[in-house]
Amino acid sequence: MHKNKCDTATAATGGTSCGGMGLAKFKGVKVHFYQHNIGDFNNATRHLSRLERSIYRDLLEHYYSTEKPLIADVERLARLCLVDENDRGAMRDVLNEYFLLQEDG
């Protein structure tokens, strides 16, 4: 399972540079949300291609919306995040840079 490296660092420092997540009510319905600090995101991802940045956002949104670590099966994860076969190398690069692969999730 893949865990976001930001969560580990944020939890250790008590900071919120990678964003915090939670539930809020919108028109009476509970919805997931996370803080998105544009400056921090841009600084941490400026070296990525537009494709890699998009994949990273999709992975983060899947991670936060399910409130569970990403699955370790990269092919299945790619389908869940709409990453086609030609772009899976970029997804693997993003996973390796921003997420930790752990057996226990």
Side-chain angles (χ1 to χ4, degrees):
M1 295 190 167
H2 295 90
K3 279 193 171 175
N4 186 330
K5 290 180 182 177
C6 285
D7 287 348
T8 304
T10 301
T13 63
T16 58
S17 64
C18 293
M21 65 178 232
L23 285 173
K25 283 197 173 187
F26 178 74
K27 296 187 178 183
V29 177
K30 287 185 180 180
V31 293
H32 295 275
F33 76 93
Y34 67 94
Q35 285 184 311
H36 179 75
N37 184 306
I38 296 166
D40 288 348
F41 182 82
N42 285 341
N43 289 336
T45 62
R46 184 64 60 202
H47 64 287
L48 299 180
S49 68
R50 292 213 179 269
L51 172 65
E52 292 167 327
R53 285 169 59 109
S54 174
I55 290 171
Y56 182 47
R57 284 292 300 265
D58 288 344
L59 291 169
L60 279 177
E61 289 174 6
H62 180 72
Y63 178 74
Y64 286 137
S65 70
T66 62
E67 297 183 359
K68 296 178 184 175
L70 300 174
I71 59 174
D73 181 344
V74 174
E75 299 305 312
R76 193 165 148 229
L77 181 60
R79 287 184 52 81
L80 289 170
C81 292
L82 306 174
V83 177
D84 66 34
E85 290 183 29
N86 296 330
D87 298 331
R88 292 191 183 165
M91 187 182 85
R92 284 185 185 91
D93 291 342
V94 169
L95 286 169
N96 289 333
E97 184 166 349
Y98 292 100
F99 295 86
L100 297 171
L101 181 60
Q102 299 177 334
E103 286 185 35
D104 65 350

